[in-house]
Amino acid sequence: MPNIRPGATGPLQQITPTQAPTNTPNPQQPPATSTTPAPPAQTQDSANVNKIANDNLKNDASDTMQAAQLRSSLREVLNNKEPNDVDELKQVLMENAENCFGPEGGQKVFEKLFMDENSSKKYEGMLNDALNNYKELSKDPAKAEGALKNMAEFLAKGAKGIKNGEDDPGC
Amino acid sequence: MPTSLTAQAAPSQETQNRKKNFVIQYEVNDACNLRCSHCYHGLKVIKEGAIGLERLFEDLEALHAHLGEDYQILIRLSGGEVFLRKDLQSMLTRILMQGYATVMLTNGTLITPENAQEVSVRNVQLVQISLDGPNAEIHDTIRGKGMFAKAWQGIRRMQAEGQPVSVSYTLMQGHNDRKENFEEFFALAQKENLAKVNFSRIFPQGDAHHLPEYAYSEGMAFKTVLENLLDAAQQFPHVKIVIKDPLINNLERSFPENVKTDVCCYIRRDYLAVTANGDVFACRKLSKPIGSLLDDQLLNIWQNNSLLQQMDQRRQYMSGKCKTCPINDQCKGGCLAASYGQTGQLFVPDPACWREEVPV
């Protein structure tokens, strides 16, 4: 079977055969069966998170760390607390916020997303959708875990108010 | 079988920004609240696409694994009219949870303050709204009375939520392509703080097949339109303009700094379209399906479809003046969609090309 990647040139017969995709484990991706992590110790990384959070989350370098922490929090909420509605989901998220971002930073993230009246109203419907989707996805732990990670990254980005506005490719 | 999601979980935004987009245009329906005379769709009856998101994700997972980590999948939601889907917001959330970026195409007339808010928190990179003229007189002739005002209302509602919006302007011969049309439009874009304006020409397929007079079939006339567009753009340096056309770089002139040219052709490069009935297209403006997801998979079509391969290697099939043209490497014969729509043949020179035949 020919391996034709975008932008490939030359006759088809010269194109190299497909290699099976490697399934390299992602060190930042916790296993689907992992249990809820303990609150992070005050390592250099978590100290950085606190500092950045206290700086109103202006530093892009904090994205990955925030997302990882938030993912842990979401996993705890969704896997262990089994929230039935969005209010419950939000409440547990806020309880976990301090563990994720430090007392002040965590409060800022979740105040921005869920306490501010306008923002909370916006995100409520999305969280409802996410909850419904998650319940469906939870039949497949790997899919559910991937979805949590993606949602956590988005929420961390949302807290910072980032909008891309990239060019619209395609016809 | 596709690899698991966790093996390719979404990278950070910083990493994503360095990746190349592979665009999947996914039509969520074929129903529309408007009846635009230049629409490239013919059908307007399918309220919900035949291929659901979960099936699409399965195919995209396999395709993404094949493309490699240099690429990120960008799902371009279109219709019909996307805002007619009652589950649109849930679909956006599901795409977000899947880790794919999203762009939306809409006529803008069904945007409310509420659904603008909902879109703004669901990771939509860009909402593209169609405007086909600088004023209601020109726009509404194509899209219906009152639609210019409604489209602008939609734009402003999205902007009020901080949602990036771009505008798509379809060039139609003799209708909206005079220099004064462009000047009026850019003045409006500047006043309304539009992030970006995209231009492309009409493609005579679908409903537009009955409007051959709007298509560009005379090279020098189209060249003049492009020249006028660039001259007008120069007067509005703060308006970001994208001109999407395979022939644009054939102009022998410098371009204003605010103009970005996009020579298309996305065929076999970084694009596939899945329509509401499950058909797969190499280019959505080219009314010739290359397969169907009802009986095939996206990756198999991408790798093995013979028509797609022919279109990719079109230079060896091109006829007429393209065979000896010294810049055929640059434009690859122009737009296949225009050729096919206007002549019924794929591998003939773009009818809007202004270059003279070069003797052998």
Side-chain angles (χ1 to χ4, degrees):
Chain A
M1 185 179 287
N3 176 18
I4 302 151
R5 291 171 183 273
T9 57
L12 288 177
Q13 61 269 23
Q14 291 180 3
I15 296 169
T16 53
T18 305
Q19 287 185 342
T22 53
N23 195 356
T24 310
N26 182 346
Q28 290 192 353
Q29 180 70 48
T33 54
S34 67
T35 55
T36 306
Q42 188 71 3
T43 61
Q44 185 60 45
D45 281 347
S46 57
N48 285 343
V49 170
N50 290 346
K51 178 183 181 307
I52 291 161
N54 289 339
D55 287 345
N56 265 343
L57 306 169
K58 285 178 181 171
N59 191 333
D60 285 343
S62 68
D63 276 0
T64 304
M65 181 61 70
Q66 287 169 7
Q69 299 282 12
L70 188 52
R71 185 166 74 247
S72 297
S73 173
L74 285 167
R75 188 186 309 109
E76 177 172 350
V77 171
L78 294 168
N79 285 353
N80 298 344
K81 305 274 180 159
E82 297 179 354
N84 292 312
D85 60 38
V86 170
D87 283 342
E88 200 176 330
L89 173 63
K90 282 196 292 191
Q91 188 169 344
V92 187
L93 280 171
M94 281 189 283
E95 283 171 9
N96 283 274
E98 291 186 2
N99 287 342
C100 292
F101 302 108
E104 197 178 337
Q107 199 173 342
K108 278 180 181 170
V109 170
F110 286 94
E111 270 180 7
K112 179 157 186 173
L113 289 178
F114 303 129
M115 299 294 283
D116 172 81
E117 194 177 338
N118 288 332
S119 180
S120 176
K121 191 179 165 190
K122 286 186 190 180
Y123 278 91
E124 191 155 322
M126 192 274 276
L127 287 175
N128 252 320
D129 286 344
L131 201 56
N132 291 333
N133 278 315
Y134 180 81
K135 283 174 181 169
E136 192 61 30
L137 286 172
S138 59
K139 295 169 191 165
D140 182 336
K143 279 191 178 180
E145 182 65 25
L148 280 184
K149 179 182 186 303
N150 295 324
M151 188 177 157
E153 287 191 348
F154 171 71
L155 285 176
K157 190 175 78 173
K160 296 176 67 178
I162 297 169
K163 287 284 183 183
N164 289 329
E166 287 184 359
D167 194 16
D168 171 32
C171 302
Chain B
M1 287 295 291
T3 54
S4 77
L5 260 181
T6 50
Q8 47 178 310
S12 70
Q13 188 61 46
E14 204 175 337
T15 310
Q16 282 193 0
N17 286 343
R18 290 196 297 268
K19 288 177 180 286
K20 291 177 265 188
N21 282 322
F22 190 100
V23 178
I24 294 295
Q25 181 156 338
Y26 175 59
E27 295 184 355
V28 299
N29 59 16
D30 204 4
C32 190
N33 60 320
L34 303 187
R35 292 291 179 270
C36 308
S37 52
H38 70 341
C39 183
Y40 58 79
H41 277 261
L43 297 170
K44 291 185 178 68
V45 293
I46 304 172
K47 290 183 179 172
E48 193 168 319
I51 304 300
L53 272 182
E54 293 306 319
R55 163 66 204 280
L56 183 72
F57 291 156
E58 280 178 23
D59 278 40
L60 289 181
E61 207 170 344
L63 180 65
H64 195 192
H66 169 73
L67 296 169
E69 288 301 316
D70 286 347
Y71 285 85
Q72 69 166 345
I73 301 290
L74 189 150
I75 296 183
R76 196 168 186 250
L77 291 182
S78 70
E81 170 50 45
V82 290
F83 279 100
L84 283 178
R85 275 290 291 250
K86 295 196 184 332
D87 59 346
L88 175 66
Q89 307 301 342
S90 177
M91 290 178 76
L92 291 171
T93 306
R94 183 68 191 90
I95 294 170
L96 150 65
M97 294 173 86
Q98 194 72 9
Y100 295 137
T102 318
V103 165
M104 286 172 63
L105 310 190
T106 171
N107 61 43
T109 61
L110 298 177
I111 294 173
T112 63
E114 292 75 26
N115 64 29
Q117 262 196 357
E118 289 169 347
V119 164
S120 73
V121 294
R122 283 171 171 80
N123 202 27
V124 177
Q125 289 190 2
L126 193 71
V127 175
Q128 181 176 294
I129 296 176
S130 302
L131 278 179
D132 292 328
N135 54 52
E137 188 184 355
I138 293 177
H139 180 88
D140 289 357
T141 304
I142 297 295
R143 293 180 175 265
K145 193 176 178 184
M147 293 305 119
F148 185 75
K150 281 195 170 182
W152 269 107
Q153 190 178 54
I155 290 169
R156 292 183 188 118
R157 284 173 174 168
M158 284 293 176
Q159 287 178 325
E161 295 301 329
Q163 176 63 50
V165 175
S166 73
V167 160
S168 172
Y169 187 116
T170 303
L171 296 166
M172 285 171 274
Q173 181 168 252
H175 180 66
N176 61 1
D177 63 352
R178 292 191 298 276
K179 189 178 176 189
E180 55 266 34
N181 298 147
F182 302 142
E183 289 167 342
E184 186 182 351
F185 190 72
F186 292 145
L188 188 60
Q190 187 166 281
K191 179 179 159 226
E192 296 284 349
N193 204 22
L194 276 183
K196 201 175 297 166
V197 183
N198 298 312
F199 287 87
S200 59
R201 62 177 132 141
I202 189 173
F203 294 92
Q205 63 159 320
D207 292 345
H209 193 66
H210 305 293
L211 297 170
E213 68 273 21
Y214 282 155
Y216 293 94
S217 55
E218 204 278 299
M220 291 312 291
F222 187 54
K223 184 183 181 194
T224 302
V225 168
L226 293 177
E227 298 272 13
N228 285 339
L229 181 54
L230 290 168
D231 289 344
Q234 201 148 18
Q235 300 170 45
F236 297 88
H238 301 300
V239 181
K240 287 184 184 171
I241 296 155
V242 181
I243 304 176
K244 296 184 174 186
D245 201 287
L247 302 180
I248 182 66
N249 284 349
N250 294 359
L251 287 176
E252 292 165 350
R253 61 170 282 173
S254 60
F255 295 159
E257 285 187 9
N258 56 323
V259 172
K260 182 180 164 189
T261 59
D262 180 348
V263 294
C264 284
C265 168
Y266 308 101
I267 292 176
R268 199 56 178 295
R269 194 183 78 188
D270 48 19
Y271 177 93
L272 283 173
V274 179
T275 59
N277 65 0
D279 281 346
V280 178
F281 286 79
C283 162
R284 190 59 191 96
K285 303 288 174 62
L286 173 56
S287 57
K288 196 174 180 62
I290 56 172
S292 169
L293 290 195
L294 298 181
D295 57 16
D296 206 345
Q297 293 184 322
L298 217 46
L299 178 57
N300 188 46
I301 292 171
W302 180 255
Q303 286 184 304
N304 299 315
N305 185 273
S306 57
L307 180 57
L308 189 58
Q309 289 173 7
Q310 279 185 347
M311 287 192 278
D312 183 40
Q313 300 179 13
R314 71 193 75 162
R315 275 192 55 209
Q316 59 183 286
Y317 302 105
M318 290 302 293
S319 61
K321 64 183 180 183
C322 293
K323 290 178 84 168
T324 54
C325 181
I327 61 166
N328 61 10
D329 265 344
Q330 183 173 297
C331 78
K332 298 178 180 177
C335 178
L336 292 186
S339 298
Y340 188 70
Q342 289 173 247
T343 71
Q345 297 178 74
L346 266 179
F347 301 114
V348 297
D350 188 327
C353 175
W354 54 84
R355 294 187 64 85
E356 300 286 338
E357 183 159 5
V358 178
V360 179

